[in-house]
Amino acid sequence: MTNDPLWSQGRSVLLYEGAARSLVLRLKHGDRHDIARPAARWMAAEASPIVSEVTIVAPIPLHWTRFLRRRYNQSALLAERVAKELSLQYIPDLLLRTFATASLDGKTREERFLELRNAISVNSKHLTQLKTASVLLVDDVMTSGATFSAATEACLHACADQVNVIALARVAKHP
């Protein structure tokens, strides 16, 4: 990544290639909710050093139109189980997509960051709870970091003390 990330610490479990890519795609687009349980165990093990007993766990949100098409948010499935594994508070609607964004597939890093500018906000009903909180954001795949950056920026703008991130898989940087 060209710029330092906004979040404090980040982790991922898998590289988004081969069998891991297939696994993530089955969870994301194949209605394979059963994948969330073992994946969340792996993610919780990786995230345990970067959370505390007061960390709030939240998924990267989908816009409601994408949620209706897909019928579920794979990041929410993972986040709920990660929170359960770590015995942490889970707030599924901490963040909201303020508008529908285009698919990020095939976009450059710069296009991804531009597409996500102001696309994620903190749900107003959780503003008080977020002040001085530690947050763990959960997503299925990290490519450029644009989605995590937009979500982290929203949390920090709402006065969260610290934001850490965990992805099931990350896209490897190739020279």
Side-chain angles (χ1 to χ4, degrees):
M1 292 171 62
T2 305
N3 301 323
D4 289 336
L6 297 173
W7 57 87
S8 298
Q9 295 183 69
R11 302 280 193 276
S12 66
V13 178
L14 307 166
L15 282 177
Y16 189 65
E17 53 191 33
R21 183 177 184 276
S22 178
L23 180 84
V24 171
L25 290 174
R26 285 194 308 259
L27 170 65
K28 188 172 194 157
H29 299 293
D31 252 352
R32 291 289 310 276
H33 298 211
D34 58 304
I35 293 169
R37 179 169 283 141
R41 279 196 300 270
W42 306 332
M43 293 172 77
E46 195 65 34
S48 75
I50 63 171
V51 298
S52 71
E53 63 278 351
V54 295
T55 298
I56 296 169
V57 178
I60 293 297
L62 289 178
H63 188 263
W64 67 268
T65 56
R66 186 161 293 160
F67 182 84
L68 284 178
R69 278 194 311 273
R70 196 174 287 160
R71 299 182 328 268
Y72 65 97
N73 178 351
Q74 71 282 356
S75 298
L77 295 175
L78 293 168
E80 181 177 22
R81 294 196 181 279
V82 166
K84 190 174 286 189
E85 288 285 328
L86 295 170
S87 300
L88 297 174
Q89 181 181 13
Y90 171 60
I91 304 179
D93 63 341
L94 180 73
L95 299 172
L96 303 170
R97 286 279 180 148
T98 53
F99 56 87
T101 54
S103 171
L104 300 178
D105 289 345
K107 292 194 183 299
T108 67
R109 181 183 187 284
E110 293 75 22
E111 290 169 334
R112 287 168 178 265
F113 274 81
L114 189 59
E115 183 70 33
L116 286 160
R117 180 184 288 155
N118 301 317
I120 298 175
S121 65
V122 172
N123 187 332
S124 60
K125 72 181 185 181
H126 298 298
L127 283 172
T128 304
Q129 197 171 8
L130 193 57
K131 285 190 189 305
T132 70
S134 172
V135 179
L136 178 67
L137 297 175
V138 177
D139 205 0
D140 58 342
V141 179
M142 181 174 77
T143 303
S144 65
T147 305
F148 275 140
S149 290
T152 298
E153 187 172 25
C155 290
L156 294 175
H157 187 266
C159 298
D161 186 46
Q162 180 181 50
V163 179
N164 294 313
V165 302
I166 181 90
L168 175 56
R170 69 173 173 80
V171 174
K173 293 190 292 186
H174 296 290

